Structures are given as structure tokens and as C-alpha cells.
Amino acid sequence: MKKSPVCAGDENKDEPCVFCKLPDNCPEKYGEKISYKQQLTLHYFCLLMSSGIYQRGNEDQDIYGFLLHDINQEIKRASKLTCGICKRKGASVGCSVSACPKKVHLPCGLKKEYIFQFTGQFPSFCIAHRPTQTMAKSKSSRLSGPLSCSICLEYIEPVLSYSVLKCPCCNSSWFHRDCVQHLAHSAGMFFFRCTICSNKDRFQQEMLRMGIYIPEKDASWELEENAYSDLLQVYQHCDVEMCFCQCGREYSKPDSLWEIVRCHCCGSRGTHRKCSSLKGLEENWACAECLLILNEMGLQDKEKRKRRPLQTVN
């Protein structure tokens, strides 16, 4: 996992990106906002998608291997180029089709539905040359009735476009682009997959092709402190009708009459050894609900044995 340089703090929150000139701090759209040694502030995606710069250093050098000298040279190059959308200078991103002269700021390109691929050489494509999805015409792919986005569950128009994407592996999953980008940002590369068919490899490859950024990180829920603490808690409560423990139903003292033993069937009910007259270190205790089920199953087995025809020996 990449070690981040200094992310923009409160003191730099209003500093504009040296490429797009916007102060916005929006990691899902522009990548993290980075302030490097108080010398410059930039959006990571603006740097990554700039056409005249390459990663010549190691990952831990300057900004993810993009050397400070090269960044300054790219800023100088872009200062002479006019954005075809906002008409301001600093257009560092060009369409990757060699014959196409279009150049834009990354945020301007996003507004005009350019596609930026976060893979390989990180190519960018204007509206005329951007990749599109296709849908095979077959009986199994015919749609009936209204559809919903497989992530937000809101209505979605089942027509492939820049803002509507589809899983390449199944006919059931349609997504709003913003929804699938938000999911990718939360899930990270290790957990990002189709929400319907759970395909990971083909799904990620297609989403990268269509301009979805998938960060190389653990899922956001994996990074939360004590996210699974509830799973580590052991059930400690005496649930029998008559509890004799003067310290209360939640009191448990190991290896004593007041140790709580959990139901060996469901594990969601407990008893003090004393309250259920358990001998020694006996663990084979079942709660009332599980005993009822076990007894019913036992009666059913007896009935089956009674109805089973006797086998005759020739």
C-alpha cells in the first residue's frame, strides 16, 4: 500500500490545486488533496492524469514517485495550454488519441463526461474517443419492467451511457456511475465486486476501463477501530427461570458453581452451573427452546422407525 505524502490539512484547505486552480477537497472525484512540504498543493488525480509527466522515482520519493522537478516542469508546460472547456490556461490533460488535439483541466473533463482510466499508462479520452459498453442482444438479456440501481436501489434507466454502467458478467446489475464509484472508494480493490453476481476480476477490469477509480486499500469498514469488537464478546447471562446467584444474572466466575455455561446448540442462552444443577465441569447443557426442538426431532425419528418396513431375509 502506498505511503501518503502530507495530505492537505486545515491550514491548506483553501489552497488551490496548482493544475486545475480549484481548492476543492473531494477525494472521490479529484483524488486526495496533497500539500508537499509547503511548496505546492495539488489533487492527486490532476497529477496522475497530466499528459507530460511520468513516475520516474520510487513510490516513497516526493509525491508517490513523481519527482518535484518533473512536477514543476509539467506545471510550466500546462501554463501555456488553454482548456477547451473553460478557456483558462493550465490544461494539463490531453486526449490519449494521438490525432485528437483536445486539452482540459481534469475537473472540466469530468463535467463534460471525459473518461480517465486509472490503469496502465493512465490514459484520458474525450467524448468522441471514450470507451463505451455494449449489450449483447439475446432472449436472456431482454428487460421487463422498471429497474433499480443495484447499489442505491433507486430507479435507473436501463440504457447504457456515461452515467449508467452495467456489470459485464450478469444481466441483472445496473449502476449509476456515481454509486459504483462511491462503492469502489469504500470497498477498495480487495472487496470491490459486483453486488449481484459477486464477480470480482472481470467486474473490476470493466469498471477500470470505464473510468472508475479503485483505490489500493482495505475497505473503509476494515479500517474502523474496533469494527468487529461485538463479534469478540462472549454471551454472559443466566436465562433460566429461577436464577440463584445473588450477584445477578450477568455474574460469572470461571471454574465455580457461578460460571455461566452457554447452550451447546445455539450458544445464545446461558445458565449458571448451580442454577441448572450441572455437575463438575459438565458443558452439555441445552436451553429450553433447543430442548423442545431436540425432543420434537427425537419423536419424529421414533415415528419413522416405527413406520419403516421390516426387511426380510431370503
Side-chain angles (χ1 to χ4, degrees):
M1 189 177 296
K2 296 177 180 178
K3 184 179 179 181
S4 173
V6 180
C7 295
D10 291 339
E11 69 277 8
N12 300 105
K13 65 179 181 179
D14 296 325
E15 285 292 317
C17 169
V18 293
F19 288 106
C20 70
K21 309 305 180 186
L22 296 179
D24 304 46
N25 188 3
C26 185
E28 286 190 24
K29 293 177 67 175
Y30 309 139
E32 61 184 321
K33 190 178 180 184
I34 301 168
S35 290
Y36 183 74
K37 296 182 178 180
Q38 304 300 319
Q39 297 181 44
L40 53 82
T41 298
L42 53 80
H43 296 125
Y44 179 51
F45 292 172
C46 288
L47 171 63
L48 199 61
M49 291 300 163
S50 291
S51 303
I53 190 170
Y54 301 92
Q55 186 187 43
R56 297 196 302 121
N58 297 323
E59 290 285 340
D60 58 351
Q61 285 185 272
D62 294 351
I63 300 180
Y64 297 137
F66 291 94
L67 304 180
L68 185 60
H69 174 268
D70 294 344
I71 296 173
N72 287 325
Q73 288 296 111
E74 179 64 2
I75 295 171
K76 185 177 179 180
R77 182 191 73 87
S79 67
K80 303 174 184 177
L81 303 174
T82 303
C83 175
I85 297 173
C86 71
K87 308 304 179 184
R88 293 185 292 110
K89 296 290 185 179
S92 63
V93 184
C95 180
S96 293
V97 175
S98 57
C100 183
K102 294 178 181 177
K103 296 175 179 60
V104 294
H105 301 102
L106 180 129
C108 294
L110 287 173
K111 289 179 181 178
K112 290 298 181 179
E113 301 184 349
Y114 279 46
I115 280 183
F116 305 98
Q117 293 181 348
F118 297 90
T119 183
Q121 297 297 316
F122 302 100
S124 305
F125 299 97
C126 67
I127 302 175
H129 301 114
R130 70 189 183 194
T132 57
Q133 288 188 301
T134 58
M135 185 172 175
K137 294 182 180 179
S138 64
K139 292 182 179 180
S140 61
S141 64
R142 290 178 182 173
L143 304 173
S144 58
L147 287 181
S148 60
C149 170
S150 299
I151 298 174
C152 72
L153 303 182
E154 296 292 333
Y155 171 76
I156 192 169
E157 184 71 26
V159 178
L160 293 171
S161 64
Y162 175 82
S163 58
V164 176
L165 302 176
K166 188 179 182 301
C167 173
C169 312
C170 62
N171 293 319
S172 304
S173 46
W174 293 72
F175 312 96
H176 297 117
R177 173 179 286 272
D178 289 343
C179 292
V180 78
Q181 179 58 81
H182 181 73
L183 175 63
H185 197 268
S186 298
M189 186 168 290
F190 302 108
F191 292 92
F192 182 53
R193 62 190 67 211
C194 175
T195 54
I196 300 297
C197 70
S198 294
N199 184 279
K200 179 180 176 181
D201 294 335
R202 283 187 61 198
F203 180 70
Q204 286 194 11
Q205 185 178 5
E206 178 68 359
M207 293 302 105
L208 285 170
R209 188 180 75 88
M210 296 307 297
I212 298 300
Y213 172 64
I214 311 173
E216 296 181 34
K217 65 169 188 175
D218 285 329
S220 57
W221 55 85
E222 292 282 334
L223 300 175
E224 293 179 12
E225 187 176 0
N226 299 322
Y228 301 103
S229 58
D230 290 345
L231 300 179
L232 302 177
Q233 295 179 2
V234 177
Y235 188 79
Q236 297 279 14
H237 192 275
C238 180
D239 297 293
V240 297
E241 184 175 354
M242 183 67 71
C243 177
F244 301 113
C245 183
Q246 295 181 355
C247 295
R249 289 182 176 269
E250 295 182 354
Y251 176 78
S252 179
K253 183 179 180 180
D255 301 323
S256 73
L257 292 174
W258 305 116
E259 179 182 15
I260 290 180
V261 176
R262 288 171 295 282
C263 173
H264 73 275
C265 295
C266 67
S268 60
R269 293 289 185 273
T271 179
H272 290 113
R273 292 184 180 279
K274 176 72 173 178
C275 298
S276 293
S277 302
L278 298 180
K279 298 179 181 180
L281 298 177
E282 184 181 353
E283 299 284 346
N284 192 25
W285 175 80
C287 65
E289 290 85 350
C290 290
L291 275 177
L292 181 62
I293 296 172
L294 291 172
N295 289 335
E296 290 179 353
M297 292 175 63
L299 291 174
Q300 290 176 1
D301 288 341
K302 287 182 180 179
E303 288 296 322
K304 287 180 181 179
R305 283 195 292 270
K306 287 180 181 179
R307 295 172 185 173
R308 187 179 300 164
L310 294 176
Q311 294 181 348
T312 58
V313 179
N314 293 329

